[in-house]
Amino acid sequence: MKRWKPLLSGLLAGMMLFTLTACGQQSQTSEQNQQTDAALSEEAEATGLVQTVAGQVQGTNQNGIFRYLGVPYAQAAERFVPAEKVKPWEGIFEADTYGAISPQGSISGVDGNSDQTGTDNNCQNLNIWTPGAGDGEKRPVMVWLHGGGFSTGSGNEEGYDGENLSRSGDVVVVAVNHRLNVFGHLDLSAYGEKYQYSANVGITDIVDALEWIQDNIEAFGGDPDNVTIFGQSGGGAKVLALMTSPNAKGLFDKGIVQSGATETMGVSFNTQDSSTRLTENILDILGISSENIEELQTVSADELQAAATQALQKTGEELQIPASLGDAYSMDWEPVIDGNFLPTNPVTEDSFASAGADIPLLIGSNLNEWTGFFPADPIEVTDELSNALQTAYPDKDGLTAEQVDTLIRLPMLKIMSHKADQNGAPVYSYVFTYGNSHHGAEIPYVFDRVDGSKEESNLAGQISQAWINFAKTGTPSAQGLPEWEAYTRESGSTMLLDIKSELVRHHDRELISLLAPDYVY
């Protein structure tokens, strides 16, 4: 539980409480306000005490980086409706412990984390790491959106600690908690105006966080006019959703998608029809109808999650929706294309979502991704396939076709190609190929949290710096990396991130055509 303490006493408190008592005191008041601002800036620089729109927040100093944990950016008074603004508080908010996270759900019909300790529908909080609070600097802001599809995970995970990234890049790092699964995406729009945005409140939460950043991040040493959103897996799909929503336009300037899409989650999202049918199945399991719809506000989280898991499987089978992972049918929690908050899918028939036209995009995936997690049918080895493997990845001795990911690589190609077709802001492509490059293997390198060999540490320095420079300038770059050219269909320019990184062009075009001959991107 968060701790609060009284306002500082003495001169600072007196300055904070000073008010006008007569017109003749206006000049004195102006001078007093300047002294107050100066005192607050000095206090922030020295102790990490920051003034936000809602009240004062106290951070802690970790090895020269201030961190603020569990800072509320909005508050959800009810389930399935957009959150409200944070009510101002008196005293000082002690941001020294992580806040609540969303109740955890299931992915592709598979039960998720059954431990719901520390979860709450009112989980709208964020974590901040900054090299300087109240110092007047305007640093690039990097907003991390966690993975776990749209069903599990949180911004509180140890691997997402932003201290090293903040220090090495002189940037402000923010990790966002928001509603997930049934709490974030249950489509009740057919049951009254109150629930108009219920299918997407998990994303409206993130929009609220970005609005909070616009209003407050300058006090933490950040630049509200230079905000980059980045995320891995489901977090990358959240970046794509935000690039698609007009409601998020103007709240961020660049996007980074790390292994952030499958064909049915990221390239596209749930349809209104499938989302409506999923809700009908959930209500049927719970014995709730339009007449008593408000009972959803008090159904226990466990009962709601159990009904959701059952209905996701049932609806997926009914509508024959391929699961995002594996070969079965199952529906997943994700945003809904409602024609309003999300007017289109991220990938349109001949382009990319119009709201994202002016947003530079850095996007890529890992060579192996999920290939070691699921049984794979053997692929017949031919001379043509062996030559294509050798051409694409000549330094990967022993690499087999079964180890080359297509589940995520193919959607990445489709997204980046359609984004390039838009002829708007540039798109930059990568494939992370170092070691066992499984799903999520690049995250420690992005956050510069690798505890390994000198070569691995150097690679972490390069990758994190490339991400940082993209946040700063819109172009990824780092000492030791080749010049990173923008991707187009004609160039196929892609950075292979490895101990010795290399810029290649259409390196795996032949390989992809052999592994997925019918795929069109």
Side-chain angles (χ1 to χ4, degrees):
M1 177 174 284
K2 292 291 175 185
R3 296 185 290 110
W4 304 75
K5 68 182 182 182
L7 282 171
L8 296 175
S9 59
L11 178 61
L12 180 59
M15 291 179 178
M16 291 292 296
L17 296 174
F18 188 86
T19 57
L20 280 173
T21 57
C23 293
Q25 293 177 309
Q26 288 180 355
S27 177
Q28 181 181 357
T29 300
S30 177
E31 182 180 349
Q32 189 76 25
N33 286 341
Q34 292 176 5
Q35 293 174 355
T36 300
D37 292 341
L40 287 172
S41 294
E42 290 177 7
E43 186 73 22
E45 285 190 75
T47 69
L49 180 66
V50 168
Q51 180 71 45
T52 70
V53 171
Q56 290 186 299
V57 179
Q58 177 67 64
T60 58
N61 192 313
Q62 300 288 323
N63 305 312
I65 297 295
F66 284 109
R67 70 174 185 170
Y68 303 80
L69 305 180
V71 179
Y73 62 82
Q75 55 190 44
E78 290 187 276
R79 294 172 175 174
F80 320 122
V81 296
E84 303 169 354
K85 288 189 178 297
V86 175
K87 293 179 181 178
W89 57 78
E90 296 181 359
I92 297 174
F93 183 86
E94 292 283 348
D96 56 0
T97 55
Y98 287 114
I101 66 173
S102 173
Q104 302 291 284
S106 59
I107 299 178
S108 292
V110 179
D111 287 335
N113 186 357
S114 60
D115 181 8
Q116 301 288 357
T117 304
T119 65
D120 197 302
N121 181 63
N122 186 27
C123 59
Q124 293 73 27
N125 63 81
L126 41 77
N127 309 315
I128 303 169
W129 294 264
T130 177
D135 61 3
E137 296 293 326
K138 287 190 174 183
R139 300 173 177 86
V141 181
M142 300 180 69
V143 182
W144 175 252
L145 304 176
H146 66 79
F150 292 83
S151 297
T152 67
S154 82
N156 298 354
E157 296 172 27
E158 183 180 357
Y160 305 153
D161 187 294
E163 179 184 324
N164 290 359
L165 188 63
S166 178
R167 178 184 294 108
S168 65
D170 193 31
V171 295
V172 178
V173 180
V174 181
V176 179
N177 286 314
H178 59 94
R179 281 174 285 185
L180 301 165
N181 51 73
V182 66
F183 293 93
H185 298 286
L186 179 63
D187 187 357
L188 297 169
S189 57
Y191 300 89
E193 186 176 348
K194 172 182 177 179
Y195 296 116
Q196 178 183 0
Y197 296 107
S198 58
N200 289 308
V201 293
I203 305 299
T204 68
D205 280 354
I206 304 175
V207 171
D208 288 339
L210 293 173
E211 289 177 341
W212 185 95
I213 287 168
Q214 289 295 309
D215 293 338
N216 295 280
I217 206 64
E218 194 168 346
F220 295 84
D223 184 356
D225 294 323
N226 190 3
V227 176
T228 298
I229 55 175
F230 69 127
Q232 183 268 347
S233 193
K238 293 164 195 174
V239 172
L240 293 168
L242 290 163
M243 291 180 71
T244 305
S245 177
N247 295 55
K249 195 168 179 62
L251 298 177
F252 65 97
D253 307 278
K254 307 171 195 74
I256 302 176
V257 175
Q258 302 168 210
S259 305
T262 64
E263 201 65 26
T264 57
M265 186 186 291
V267 170
S268 60
F269 290 123
N270 283 340
T271 67
Q272 188 74 67
D273 288 345
S274 64
S275 183
T276 298
R277 183 57 185 151
L278 174 61
T279 298
E280 291 171 349
N281 283 331
I282 290 174
L283 295 181
D284 183 60
I285 293 168
L286 293 172
I288 293 176
S289 67
S290 58
E291 284 74 25
N292 61 338
I293 197 70
E294 289 304 307
E295 289 187 15
L296 280 172
Q297 294 290 345
T298 55
V299 170
S300 74
D302 287 344
E303 187 177 357
L304 190 57
Q305 293 284 21
T309 298
Q310 184 179 341
L312 286 166
Q313 188 67 42
K314 179 180 180 181
T315 309
E317 292 173 353
E318 281 182 8
L319 303 180
Q320 295 193 328
I321 300 172
S324 59
L325 302 175
D327 297 325
Y329 290 124
S330 179
M331 195 167 169
D332 282 301
W333 289 116
E334 55 186 81
V336 176
I337 306 304
D338 61 358
N340 183 356
F341 184 79
L342 291 178
T344 68
N345 283 307
V347 172
T348 62
E349 185 174 345
D350 58 358
S351 186
F352 186 82
S354 60
D358 298 330
I359 305 297
L361 177 64
L362 172 58
I363 183 170
S365 59
N366 299 349
L367 174 58
N368 302 138
E369 293 288 359
W370 293 101
T371 58
F373 291 86
F374 300 103
D377 295 330
I379 299 173
E380 181 183 357
V381 178
T382 65
D383 289 343
E384 188 178 20
L385 181 59
S386 296
N387 290 335
L389 269 171
Q390 178 66 21
T391 299
Y393 301 105
D395 298 329
K396 298 300 175 185
D397 294 337
L399 180 69
T400 67
E402 290 86 357
Q403 296 170 326
V404 176
D405 164 70
T406 56
L407 176 68
I408 294 179
R409 174 64 175 155
L410 293 175
M412 295 291 99
L413 281 167
K414 181 178 286 187
I415 292 166
M416 67 181 72
S417 297
H418 282 242
K419 170 67 171 164
D421 291 343
Q422 198 174 31
N423 292 319
V427 54
Y428 297 90
S429 168
Y430 76 87
V431 178
F432 178 80
T433 61
Y434 175 66
N436 179 9
S437 53
H438 57 78
H439 193 63
E442 87 289 357
I443 294 175
Y445 294 85
V446 168
F447 279 87
D448 200 8
R449 289 173 53 86
V450 171
D451 183 17
S453 67
K454 182 179 179 181
E455 286 184 329
E456 290 172 332
S457 295
N458 289 340
L459 179 59
Q462 281 188 340
I463 291 177
S464 61
Q465 194 61 52
W467 264 232
I468 288 162
N469 284 339
F470 179 76
K472 289 182 176 180
T473 68
T475 303
S477 64
Q479 185 175 359
L481 279 183
E483 182 179 352
W484 202 323
E485 300 173 359
Y487 172 92
T488 66
R489 284 187 186 269
E490 293 73 25
S491 72
S493 297
T494 299
M495 189 69 73
L496 300 185
L497 294 171
D498 211 311
I499 295 302
K500 185 179 180 181
S501 297
E502 180 183 7
L503 184 77
V504 293
R505 298 176 181 84
H506 292 301
H507 75 291
D508 63 347
R509 181 164 55 183
E510 180 65 21
L511 178 60
I512 290 295
S513 70
L514 293 172
L515 295 176
D518 298 325
Y519 191 79
V520 178
Y521 61 88

